[in-house]
Short mmCIF file of all heavy atoms in Angstrom, two decimals:
data_model
loop_
_atom_site.label_atom_id
_atom_site.label_comp_id
_atom_site.label_asym_id
_atom_site.label_seq_id
_atom_site.Cartn_x
_atom_site.Cartn_y
_atom_site.Cartn_z
N MET R 2 52.03 165.18 104.72
CA MET R 2 51.71 164.72 103.41
C MET R 2 51.16 165.90 102.66
O MET R 2 50.30 166.62 103.06
CB MET R 2 50.71 163.55 103.52
CG MET R 2 50.36 162.90 102.18
SD MET R 2 49.41 161.49 102.55
CE MET R 2 49.06 161.00 100.93
N SER R 3 51.61 166.05 101.40
CA SER R 3 51.14 167.13 100.54
C SER R 3 49.87 166.71 99.85
O SER R 3 49.58 165.60 99.61
CB SER R 3 52.22 167.43 99.48
OG SER R 3 53.35 167.83 100.07
N GLU R 4 49.07 167.72 99.53
CA GLU R 4 47.82 167.59 98.80
C GLU R 4 47.94 168.16 97.46
O GLU R 4 48.32 169.31 97.34
CB GLU R 4 46.67 168.18 99.53
CG GLU R 4 45.38 167.99 98.90
CD GLU R 4 44.19 168.46 99.72
OE1 GLU R 4 44.27 168.47 100.99
OE2 GLU R 4 43.17 168.88 99.11
N PHE R 5 47.65 167.42 96.38
CA PHE R 5 47.77 167.95 95.02
C PHE R 5 46.41 167.86 94.35
O PHE R 5 45.68 166.89 94.52
CB PHE R 5 48.82 167.19 94.18
CG PHE R 5 50.18 167.28 94.69
CD1 PHE R 5 50.73 166.34 95.52
CD2 PHE R 5 50.99 168.35 94.35
CE1 PHE R 5 52.02 166.35 96.03
CE2 PHE R 5 52.24 168.45 94.77
CZ PHE R 5 52.73 167.45 95.68
N TRP R 6 46.10 168.91 93.61
CA TRP R 6 44.84 168.94 92.79
C TRP R 6 45.21 169.12 91.40
O TRP R 6 46.10 169.88 91.07
CB TRP R 6 43.96 170.10 93.23
CG TRP R 6 43.34 169.99 94.55
CD1 TRP R 6 43.74 169.21 95.67
CD2 TRP R 6 42.12 170.64 94.98
NE1 TRP R 6 42.88 169.41 96.71
CE2 TRP R 6 41.89 170.26 96.30
CE3 TRP R 6 41.25 171.47 94.46
CZ2 TRP R 6 40.82 170.67 97.06
CZ3 TRP R 6 40.18 171.93 95.11
CH2 TRP R 6 39.94 171.52 96.39
N LEU R 7 44.51 168.43 90.51
CA LEU R 7 44.66 168.61 89.07
C LEU R 7 43.34 169.25 88.61
O LEU R 7 42.26 168.63 88.70
CB LEU R 7 44.97 167.32 88.41
CG LEU R 7 45.08 167.38 86.89
CD1 LEU R 7 46.25 168.23 86.45
CD2 LEU R 7 45.17 165.96 86.26
N ILE R 8 43.39 170.44 88.00
CA ILE R 8 42.26 171.14 87.61
C ILE R 8 42.46 171.42 86.07
O ILE R 8 43.46 171.92 85.67
CB ILE R 8 42.02 172.53 88.38
CG1 ILE R 8 41.87 172.10 89.84
CG2 ILE R 8 40.81 173.20 87.73
CD1 ILE R 8 41.82 173.33 90.74
N SER R 9 41.43 171.13 85.31
CA SER R 9 41.49 171.33 83.84
C SER R 9 40.55 172.56 83.53
O SER R 9 39.49 172.65 83.95
CB SER R 9 40.96 170.04 83.18
OG SER R 9 40.88 170.29 81.73
N ALA R 10 41.08 173.41 82.70
CA ALA R 10 40.35 174.54 82.20
C ALA R 10 40.43 174.62 80.73
O ALA R 10 41.46 174.38 80.06
CB ALA R 10 40.90 175.83 82.83
N PRO R 11 39.25 174.71 80.06
CA PRO R 11 39.24 174.75 78.55
C PRO R 11 40.06 175.92 78.02
O PRO R 11 40.13 176.97 78.65
CB PRO R 11 37.80 174.89 78.23
CG PRO R 11 37.13 175.50 79.39
CD PRO R 11 37.93 175.03 80.62
N GLY R 12 40.63 175.69 76.89
CA GLY R 12 41.35 176.74 76.24
C GLY R 12 41.57 176.44 74.81
O GLY R 12 41.42 175.36 74.33
N ASP R 13 41.96 177.46 74.03
CA ASP R 13 42.29 177.33 72.68
C ASP R 13 43.67 176.77 72.52
O ASP R 13 44.57 177.20 73.23
CB ASP R 13 42.14 178.70 71.98
CG ASP R 13 42.23 178.64 70.50
OD1 ASP R 13 42.44 177.52 69.99
OD2 ASP R 13 41.96 179.62 69.83
N ARG R 14 43.84 175.84 71.61
CA ARG R 14 45.18 175.28 71.42
C ARG R 14 46.22 176.30 71.01
O ARG R 14 47.44 176.17 71.24
CB ARG R 14 45.13 174.13 70.41
CG ARG R 14 44.36 172.90 70.85
CD ARG R 14 44.38 171.89 69.77
NE ARG R 14 43.53 170.77 70.23
CZ ARG R 14 43.78 169.53 69.81
NH1 ARG R 14 44.73 169.26 69.05
NH2 ARG R 14 43.02 168.56 70.31
N GLU R 15 45.81 177.26 70.25
CA GLU R 15 46.77 178.25 69.64
C GLU R 15 46.87 179.47 70.55
O GLU R 15 47.89 180.18 70.45
CB GLU R 15 46.26 178.64 68.24
CG GLU R 15 46.04 177.50 67.27
CD GLU R 15 47.32 176.75 67.06
OE1 GLU R 15 48.41 177.37 66.99
OE2 GLU R 15 47.29 175.47 66.93
N ASN R 16 45.95 179.76 71.36
CA ASN R 16 45.94 181.01 72.19
C ASN R 16 46.42 180.73 73.54
O ASN R 16 45.94 180.07 74.36
CB ASN R 16 44.50 181.53 72.20
CG ASN R 16 44.40 182.88 72.85
OD1 ASN R 16 45.45 183.41 73.30
ND2 ASN R 16 43.30 183.46 72.88
N LEU R 17 47.60 181.31 73.85
CA LEU R 17 48.26 181.22 75.16
C LEU R 17 47.95 182.39 76.10
O LEU R 17 48.42 182.38 77.27
CB LEU R 17 49.72 181.02 75.00
CG LEU R 17 50.20 179.81 74.25
CD1 LEU R 17 51.71 179.80 74.09
CD2 LEU R 17 49.76 178.50 75.02
N GLN R 18 47.14 183.35 75.66
CA GLN R 18 46.88 184.51 76.52
C GLN R 18 46.07 184.10 77.83
O GLN R 18 46.43 184.69 78.87
CB GLN R 18 46.03 185.52 75.70
CG GLN R 18 46.74 186.21 74.61
CD GLN R 18 45.89 187.09 73.79
OE1 GLN R 18 44.73 187.13 73.98
NE2 GLN R 18 46.52 187.89 72.93
N ALA R 19 45.27 183.18 77.76
CA ALA R 19 44.44 182.75 78.93
C ALA R 19 45.42 182.16 79.97
O ALA R 19 45.34 182.39 81.16
CB ALA R 19 43.37 181.79 78.62
N LEU R 20 46.33 181.34 79.51
CA LEU R 20 47.33 180.69 80.41
C LEU R 20 48.21 181.74 81.09
O LEU R 20 48.58 181.70 82.20
CB LEU R 20 48.16 179.67 79.68
CG LEU R 20 49.24 178.94 80.53
CD1 LEU R 20 48.56 178.12 81.65
CD2 LEU R 20 50.01 178.02 79.66
N GLU R 21 48.66 182.72 80.20
CA GLU R 21 49.53 183.77 80.77
C GLU R 21 48.79 184.59 81.76
O GLU R 21 49.30 185.00 82.77
CB GLU R 21 50.00 184.63 79.60
CG GLU R 21 51.03 183.94 78.73
CD GLU R 21 51.40 184.74 77.49
OE1 GLU R 21 50.83 185.89 77.27
OE2 GLU R 21 52.10 184.23 76.61
N ARG R 22 47.47 184.90 81.48
CA ARG R 22 46.73 185.67 82.45
C ARG R 22 46.54 184.91 83.77
O ARG R 22 46.69 185.45 84.83
CB ARG R 22 45.43 186.05 81.86
CG ARG R 22 44.57 186.98 82.64
CD ARG R 22 43.31 187.48 81.95
NE ARG R 22 42.55 186.43 81.37
CZ ARG R 22 42.03 186.29 80.22
NH1 ARG R 22 42.32 187.29 79.28
NH2 ARG R 22 41.38 185.31 79.71
N MET R 23 46.24 183.61 83.69
CA MET R 23 46.08 182.84 84.83
C MET R 23 47.44 182.70 85.61
O MET R 23 47.41 182.84 86.88
CB MET R 23 45.60 181.45 84.45
CG MET R 23 45.27 180.52 85.66
SD MET R 23 44.37 179.06 85.30
CE MET R 23 45.23 178.39 83.88
N ASN R 24 48.50 182.56 85.00
CA ASN R 24 49.82 182.57 85.66
C ASN R 24 50.09 183.88 86.36
O ASN R 24 50.59 183.86 87.52
CB ASN R 24 50.96 182.28 84.64
CG ASN R 24 51.03 180.83 84.31
OD1 ASN R 24 50.69 179.98 85.08
ND2 ASN R 24 51.60 180.54 83.14
N THR R 25 49.78 185.00 85.71
CA THR R 25 49.96 186.28 86.37
C THR R 25 49.10 186.40 87.63
O THR R 25 49.65 186.89 88.67
CB THR R 25 49.57 187.43 85.41
OG1 THR R 25 50.32 187.28 84.20
CG2 THR R 25 49.79 188.76 85.96
N VAL R 26 47.87 186.02 87.60
CA VAL R 26 46.97 186.13 88.79
C VAL R 26 47.38 185.22 89.86
O VAL R 26 47.50 185.62 91.11
CB VAL R 26 45.51 185.97 88.34
CG1 VAL R 26 44.62 185.82 89.55
CG2 VAL R 26 45.07 186.97 87.38
N THR R 27 47.68 183.95 89.55
CA THR R 27 47.96 183.01 90.65
C THR R 27 49.39 183.09 91.17
O THR R 27 49.62 182.61 92.37
CB THR R 27 47.73 181.60 90.20
OG1 THR R 27 48.53 181.29 88.97
CG2 THR R 27 46.27 181.33 89.78
N SER R 28 50.30 183.57 90.43
CA SER R 28 51.68 183.70 90.91
C SER R 28 51.89 184.83 91.94
O SER R 28 52.82 184.74 92.69
CB SER R 28 52.69 183.92 89.75
OG SER R 28 52.45 185.12 89.10
N LYS R 29 51.02 185.79 91.90
CA LYS R 29 51.08 186.95 92.83
C LYS R 29 50.98 186.42 94.29
O LYS R 29 51.67 186.91 95.17
CB LYS R 29 50.03 187.96 92.50
CG LYS R 29 50.34 188.82 91.30
CD LYS R 29 49.22 189.75 91.08
CE LYS R 29 49.50 190.55 89.77
NZ LYS R 29 48.36 191.50 89.51
N SER R 30 50.11 185.52 94.48
CA SER R 30 49.83 184.99 95.86
C SER R 30 50.42 183.56 96.01
O SER R 30 50.14 182.91 97.07
CB SER R 30 48.35 184.88 96.06
OG SER R 30 47.80 186.20 95.98
N ASN R 31 51.22 183.14 95.09
CA ASN R 31 51.82 181.79 95.13
C ASN R 31 50.72 180.74 95.32
O ASN R 31 50.82 179.86 96.14
CB ASN R 31 52.86 181.68 96.17
CG ASN R 31 53.77 180.50 96.04
OD1 ASN R 31 53.90 180.03 94.90
ND2 ASN R 31 54.39 180.11 97.11
N LEU R 32 49.69 180.81 94.55
CA LEU R 32 48.52 179.91 94.71
C LEU R 32 48.70 178.61 93.96
O LEU R 32 48.23 177.56 94.45
CB LEU R 32 47.26 180.57 94.20
CG LEU R 32 46.69 181.84 94.97
CD1 LEU R 32 45.55 182.44 94.31
CD2 LEU R 32 46.38 181.37 96.39
N SER R 33 49.32 178.68 92.73
CA SER R 33 49.43 177.41 92.00
C SER R 33 50.52 177.52 91.01
O SER R 33 51.06 178.57 90.69
CB SER R 33 48.11 177.21 91.28
OG SER R 33 47.86 178.16 90.27
N TYR R 34 50.85 176.37 90.44
CA TYR R 34 51.76 176.21 89.31
C TYR R 34 50.92 175.82 88.13
O TYR R 34 50.29 174.74 88.17
CB TYR R 34 52.86 175.19 89.66
CG TYR R 34 53.73 174.88 88.46
CD1 TYR R 34 54.71 175.87 88.04
CD2 TYR R 34 53.62 173.78 87.80
CE1 TYR R 34 55.53 175.56 86.98
CE2 TYR R 34 54.44 173.46 86.69
CZ TYR R 34 55.36 174.38 86.32
OH TYR R 34 56.18 174.15 85.23
N ASN R 35 50.89 176.54 87.08
CA ASN R 35 50.09 176.29 85.93
C ASN R 35 51.00 175.94 84.74
O ASN R 35 52.05 176.50 84.52
CB ASN R 35 49.29 177.54 85.53
CG ASN R 35 48.48 178.05 86.73
OD1 ASN R 35 47.85 177.37 87.42
ND2 ASN R 35 48.65 179.30 87.04
N THR R 36 50.52 174.94 84.01
CA THR R 36 51.24 174.54 82.77
C THR R 36 50.22 174.07 81.70
O THR R 36 49.11 173.67 82.10
CB THR R 36 52.18 173.45 83.09
OG1 THR R 36 52.95 173.11 81.93
CG2 THR R 36 51.50 172.11 83.61
N LYS R 37 50.61 174.15 80.49
CA LYS R 37 49.78 173.67 79.35
C LYS R 37 49.94 172.26 79.23
O LYS R 37 51.12 171.71 79.13
CB LYS R 37 50.11 174.52 78.16
CG LYS R 37 49.24 174.12 76.97
CD LYS R 37 49.55 174.96 75.78
CE LYS R 37 48.79 174.40 74.60
NZ LYS R 37 48.33 175.43 73.75
N PHE R 38 48.89 171.51 79.13
CA PHE R 38 48.92 170.06 78.82
C PHE R 38 48.04 169.74 77.65
O PHE R 38 46.84 169.91 77.68
CB PHE R 38 48.44 169.33 80.09
CG PHE R 38 48.51 167.84 79.93
CD1 PHE R 38 49.61 167.09 79.93
CD2 PHE R 38 47.27 167.08 79.63
CE1 PHE R 38 49.70 165.71 79.82
CE2 PHE R 38 47.27 165.77 79.52
CZ PHE R 38 48.46 165.05 79.57
N ALA R 39 48.69 169.33 76.56
CA ALA R 39 47.98 169.04 75.33
C ALA R 39 47.42 167.61 75.42
O ALA R 39 48.19 166.69 75.62
CB ALA R 39 48.90 169.16 74.11
N ILE R 40 46.17 167.46 75.15
CA ILE R 40 45.55 166.13 75.12
C ILE R 40 45.53 165.72 73.60
O ILE R 40 45.01 166.43 72.79
CB ILE R 40 44.14 166.18 75.72
CG1 ILE R 40 44.15 166.65 77.15
CG2 ILE R 40 43.46 164.86 75.52
CD1 ILE R 40 42.79 166.82 77.75
N PRO R 41 46.08 164.51 73.40
CA PRO R 41 46.15 164.10 71.97
C PRO R 41 44.80 163.72 71.50
O PRO R 41 43.83 163.36 72.22
CB PRO R 41 47.06 162.89 71.97
CG PRO R 41 46.98 162.39 73.39
CD PRO R 41 46.74 163.58 74.26
N ASP R 42 44.63 163.81 70.09
CA ASP R 42 43.36 163.33 69.53
C ASP R 42 43.29 161.90 69.58
O ASP R 42 44.26 161.16 69.41
CB ASP R 42 43.27 163.85 68.08
CG ASP R 42 43.22 165.31 67.92
OD1 ASP R 42 42.67 165.98 68.89
OD2 ASP R 42 43.78 165.85 66.93
N PHE R 43 42.02 161.42 69.92
CA PHE R 43 41.86 159.96 70.06
C PHE R 43 41.53 159.36 68.68
O PHE R 43 40.88 160.04 67.83
CB PHE R 43 40.68 159.66 70.99
CG PHE R 43 41.01 160.00 72.41
CD1 PHE R 43 40.42 161.13 73.03
CD2 PHE R 43 41.94 159.26 73.16
CE1 PHE R 43 40.67 161.44 74.36
CE2 PHE R 43 42.24 159.64 74.45
CZ PHE R 43 41.58 160.74 75.04
N LYS R 44 42.03 158.21 68.47
CA LYS R 44 41.72 157.47 67.15
C LYS R 44 40.34 156.85 67.29
O LYS R 44 40.08 156.19 68.31
CB LYS R 44 42.80 156.43 66.86
CG LYS R 44 44.14 157.06 66.67
CD LYS R 44 45.17 155.93 66.41
CE LYS R 44 46.57 156.60 66.19
NZ LYS R 44 47.53 155.61 65.87
N VAL R 45 39.59 156.95 66.30
CA VAL R 45 38.26 156.39 66.32
C VAL R 45 38.24 155.10 65.52
O VAL R 45 38.76 155.03 64.38
CB VAL R 45 37.19 157.34 65.74
CG1 VAL R 45 35.83 156.73 65.66
CG2 VAL R 45 37.27 158.59 66.56
N GLY R 46 37.69 154.00 66.09
CA GLY R 46 37.63 152.78 65.38
C GLY R 46 36.29 152.19 65.46
O GLY R 46 35.33 152.79 65.89
N THR R 47 36.12 150.96 65.06
CA THR R 47 34.82 150.30 65.08
C THR R 47 34.79 149.31 66.24
O THR R 47 35.79 148.99 66.89
CB THR R 47 34.58 149.50 63.73
OG1 THR R 47 35.59 148.50 63.68
CG2 THR R 47 34.63 150.42 62.51
N LEU R 48 33.63 148.79 66.56
CA LEU R 48 33.40 147.88 67.62
C LEU R 48 34.12 146.56 67.27
O LEU R 48 34.68 145.87 68.15
CB LEU R 48 31.95 147.67 67.87
CG LEU R 48 31.54 146.73 69.04
CD1 LEU R 48 32.21 147.18 70.30
CD2 LEU R 48 30.06 146.57 69.17
N ASP R 49 34.11 146.19 66.01
CA ASP R 49 34.79 144.95 65.52
C ASP R 49 36.24 145.07 65.83
O ASP R 49 36.87 144.08 66.30
CB ASP R 49 34.55 144.76 64.05
CG ASP R 49 33.24 144.05 63.74
OD1 ASP R 49 32.61 143.57 64.67
OD2 ASP R 49 32.82 144.05 62.55
N SER R 50 36.92 146.23 65.52
CA SER R 50 38.34 146.36 65.79
C SER R 50 38.64 146.26 67.27
O SER R 50 39.58 145.68 67.74
CB SER R 50 38.87 147.59 65.20
OG SER R 50 38.32 148.71 65.80
N LEU R 51 37.73 146.83 68.12
CA LEU R 51 37.90 146.83 69.62
C LEU R 51 37.83 145.42 70.08
O LEU R 51 38.62 144.95 70.97
CB LEU R 51 36.85 147.71 70.28
CG LEU R 51 36.99 147.86 71.78
CD1 LEU R 51 38.35 148.34 72.14
CD2 LEU R 51 35.86 148.64 72.26
N VAL R 52 36.80 144.67 69.66
CA VAL R 52 36.61 143.26 70.07
C VAL R 52 37.86 142.38 69.61
O VAL R 52 38.34 141.58 70.35
CB VAL R 52 35.30 142.67 69.55
CG1 VAL R 52 35.21 141.16 69.79
CG2 VAL R 52 34.13 143.38 70.18
N GLY R 53 38.32 142.64 68.36
CA GLY R 53 39.46 141.98 67.89
C GLY R 53 40.69 142.27 68.70
O GLY R 53 41.50 141.35 69.02
N LEU R 54 40.90 143.49 69.08
CA LEU R 54 42.08 143.81 69.96
C LEU R 54 41.93 143.20 71.27
O LEU R 54 42.94 142.75 71.89
CB LEU R 54 42.20 145.34 70.08
CG LEU R 54 42.70 146.06 68.82
CD1 LEU R 54 42.56 147.54 69.03
CD2 LEU R 54 44.10 145.67 68.47
N SER R 55 40.72 143.15 71.81
CA SER R 55 40.45 142.52 73.14
C SER R 55 40.79 140.97 73.14
O SER R 55 41.47 140.49 74.00
CB SER R 55 39.03 142.73 73.55
OG SER R 55 38.75 142.06 74.80
N ASP R 56 40.41 140.32 72.00
CA ASP R 56 40.70 138.87 71.90
C ASP R 56 42.26 138.69 71.77
O ASP R 56 42.83 137.81 72.38
CB ASP R 56 40.03 138.36 70.65
CG ASP R 56 38.56 138.23 70.83
OD1 ASP R 56 38.03 138.32 71.92
OD2 ASP R 56 37.86 138.11 69.81
N GLU R 57 42.90 139.59 71.01
CA GLU R 57 44.34 139.41 70.80
C GLU R 57 45.03 139.66 72.19
O GLU R 57 46.00 139.02 72.46
CB GLU R 57 44.80 140.44 69.78
CG GLU R 57 46.20 140.31 69.41
CD GLU R 57 46.52 139.01 68.66
OE1 GLU R 57 45.63 138.47 68.00
OE2 GLU R 57 47.71 138.59 68.63
N LEU R 58 44.53 140.66 72.92
CA LEU R 58 45.24 140.92 74.23
C LEU R 58 45.08 139.74 75.20
O LEU R 58 46.02 139.37 75.86
CB LEU R 58 44.51 142.17 74.83
CG LEU R 58 45.06 142.61 76.20
CD1 LEU R 58 46.53 142.96 76.07
CD2 LEU R 58 44.27 143.75 76.70
N GLY R 59 43.91 139.01 75.17
CA GLY R 59 43.75 137.86 75.93
C GLY R 59 44.76 136.74 75.59
O GLY R 59 45.32 136.05 76.46
N LYS R 60 45.01 136.60 74.23
CA LYS R 60 45.93 135.59 73.80
C LYS R 60 47.35 135.92 74.28
O LYS R 60 48.14 135.03 74.68
CB LYS R 60 45.86 135.43 72.30
CG LYS R 60 44.55 134.86 71.77
CD LYS R 60 44.59 134.88 70.31
CE LYS R 60 43.20 134.39 69.75
NZ LYS R 60 43.16 134.55 68.28
N LEU R 61 47.66 137.18 74.09
CA LEU R 61 49.03 137.61 74.42
C LEU R 61 49.27 137.50 75.93
O LEU R 61 50.35 137.14 76.46
CB LEU R 61 49.30 139.06 73.95
CG LEU R 61 49.44 139.24 72.49
CD1 LEU R 61 49.50 140.73 72.14
CD2 LEU R 61 50.58 138.43 71.98
N ASP R 62 48.23 137.81 76.74
CA ASP R 62 48.36 137.74 78.22
C ASP R 62 48.62 136.28 78.61
O ASP R 62 49.51 135.98 79.43
CB ASP R 62 47.04 138.25 78.86
CG ASP R 62 47.11 138.39 80.35
OD1 ASP R 62 48.26 138.69 80.87
OD2 ASP R 62 46.16 138.02 81.03
N THR R 63 47.89 135.34 78.00
CA THR R 63 48.15 133.87 78.26
C THR R 63 49.53 133.43 77.89
O THR R 63 50.21 132.74 78.64
CB THR R 63 47.03 133.04 77.55
OG1 THR R 63 45.78 133.50 77.91
CG2 THR R 63 47.26 131.57 77.94
N PHE R 64 49.95 133.92 76.75
CA PHE R 64 51.28 133.62 76.22
C PHE R 64 52.36 134.14 77.21
O PHE R 64 53.41 133.51 77.48
CB PHE R 64 51.48 134.13 74.82
CG PHE R 64 52.80 133.86 74.24
CD1 PHE R 64 53.19 132.53 73.83
CD2 PHE R 64 53.75 134.83 74.15
CE1 PHE R 64 54.43 132.29 73.30
CE2 PHE R 64 54.97 134.58 73.60
CZ PHE R 64 55.36 133.29 73.21
N ALA R 65 52.19 135.32 77.66
CA ALA R 65 53.19 136.01 78.56
C ALA R 65 53.31 135.35 79.92
O ALA R 65 54.34 135.40 80.53
CB ALA R 65 52.85 137.43 78.70
N GLU R 66 52.25 134.75 80.41
CA GLU R 66 52.20 134.08 81.72
C GLU R 66 53.01 132.80 81.74
O GLU R 66 53.37 132.30 82.76
CB GLU R 66 50.77 133.78 82.19
CG GLU R 66 50.09 135.08 82.53
CD GLU R 66 48.63 134.82 82.95
OE1 GLU R 66 48.18 133.63 82.91
OE2 GLU R 66 47.92 135.72 83.39
N ARG R 67 53.23 132.20 80.52
CA ARG R 67 53.90 130.89 80.55
C ARG R 67 55.30 130.97 80.78
O ARG R 67 56.09 131.78 80.85
CB ARG R 67 53.80 130.32 79.04
CG ARG R 67 52.40 129.88 78.79
CD ARG R 67 52.26 129.28 77.45
NE ARG R 67 50.83 128.98 77.18
CZ ARG R 67 50.42 128.51 76.08
NH1 ARG R 67 51.29 128.11 75.16
NH2 ARG R 67 49.17 128.25 75.92
#
């Protein structure tokens, strides 16, 4: 069974030099496969909207079970 690790390192969205440098260092010894993964910006809402969505989800869940 293979073992996989996911490690996150901070970086600048526009600057790829750090990723290129890390790829150069780790590829020499075949240590890892590195890739850039962009995390989307989260939408910010209010507690009221969250509670409303939670209520709506409960109704839809009940409807889908029928």
